[in-house]
Amino acid sequence: MSTATSHLMPTYNRQPVSFVRGEGARLWDDAGRVYLDALSGIAVTGLGHAHPDITAAICAQAGTLIHTSNVYGIPWQAKLADRLAAISGMGSVFFGNSGAAANEASIKLARLFARQKGIAEPKIIVMETSFHGRTMATLAATGNAAIQKGFEPLVGGFLRAPYGDLAALRALAETQSDIVAVLVEPVQGEGGVRPAPEGYLRGVRALCDQFDWLMMLDEVQTGIGRTGQWFGFQHEPGLLPDVMSLAKGLGNGVPIGACLAAGKAAQLFAPGNHGSTFGGNPLVCRVAHTVLDVIERDGLVARAAALGARIRTGLSTALAEVAAVQTIRGQGLLIGVVLDRPCGELVRRALDAGLLINVTAGSVIRLLPPLIFTDAEADELVARLAALIVDWLAENETQITD
Ligand SMILES: Cc1ncc(COP(=O)(O)O)c(C=O)c1O
């Protein structure tokens, strides 16, 4: 089964493979070849493929009620909102269908917050090398010129600061008026798997409190257990953002995003301010509820922390003597192996060897294995990836000296 057709818009440079079946951390292509999935559909399928509890939830709800409308009550949506509020400490939830849509809701909340303060032209501070999505507002917020190119004029109202730099935020506070919010990822995923420096999020919180800004976290990639806490901000005890966006791991593959708000941001939206036809329908909410049940029942948040440490330690040991490996960083099961050279080629090499990985920011191998990885699968990933890197580097060296 090929995806080659002139009827798809060519928005992706696709790898030459089509998967037709999955189970746990393995995928099978249309020729029957098996692959180890260390990417999870880019941080989505945290419970792996064809998880029996997820399949059962989908089947049960599909046979009961898939969609009504947000003009009616949706019991599974209310139940999921309560559950998300309980594990995050946030106060209210809006459901959409994607990470970008969740961030759009965050940005709209910041604009309403500005109106409440009597600010007509508000500014939101966003970061260099960030990624927030591909809609018009979220691509403007994203710190990557290549993603913005061709779509000008960009949505205005964003100021940019270097990631992890509290002094830069303070400088903006002193030189700019009408700032209302900071939007930041606890770990920059697309930007090269960059964890926030120790104390950074706490520092952002303090500045937001001092200047009455909303602290808005994009946890689309970091949320739902991936970093070894339910949410990335929970690595700093006692911290709570005002707004947080989620998607990816929340639905294990069914499209769901969520924007959560707390305190002064929790009641900003009023009827008519925002909406979504599909957002939070009974099917996706029941599935997301089941995702949270399984993660809790099987202790997968702690497991993500342990597996992440195991993989990072394993790779550090296996690659200790490899000079081209600059550092191995990340949090939980969001892991980056930083090379001293562009390494996009490794994605195809790994694919040919039956291993799914990603390269981001040009020279960072990004690993996003599912939370249900066994220790044996973690060790297999370490051994296979280390061998691939070493072989590829050896070939590169040979080519250079030839
Ligand atoms: C941090 C972050 N925010 C937002 C998005 C956009 O999410 P979506 O593709 O679901 O719109 C992504 C996707 O990679 C992401 O990593």
Side-chain angles (χ1 to χ4, degrees), residues 228-243:
Q229 290 283 352
W230 274 113
F231 307 101
F233 74 81
Q234 292 171 336
H235 288 278
E236 299 218 19
L239 189 77
L240 193 70
D242 299 302
V243 178

Side-chain angles (χ1 to χ4, degrees), residues 185-201:
E185 297 155 86
V187 181
Q188 286 192 333
E190 302 292 316
V193 191
R194 296 166 199 271
E198 181 87 36
Y200 176 66
L201 293 181

Side-chain angles (χ1 to χ4, degrees), residues 126-130 143 160-163 188:
V126 290
M127 303 302 152
E128 290 170 7
T129 60
S130 62
R160 208 164 292 284
Y163 184 62
Q188 286 192 333

Side-chain angles (χ1 to χ4, degrees), residues 37 43 58 82 88 95 104 120 125 165 167 206 282 323 350 363 370 372 392:
D37 185 0
I58 292 171
D82 289 349
S88 67
F95 290 106
E104 286 280 342
I125 302 177
D165 186 343
S363 56
I372 49 88
W392 176 72

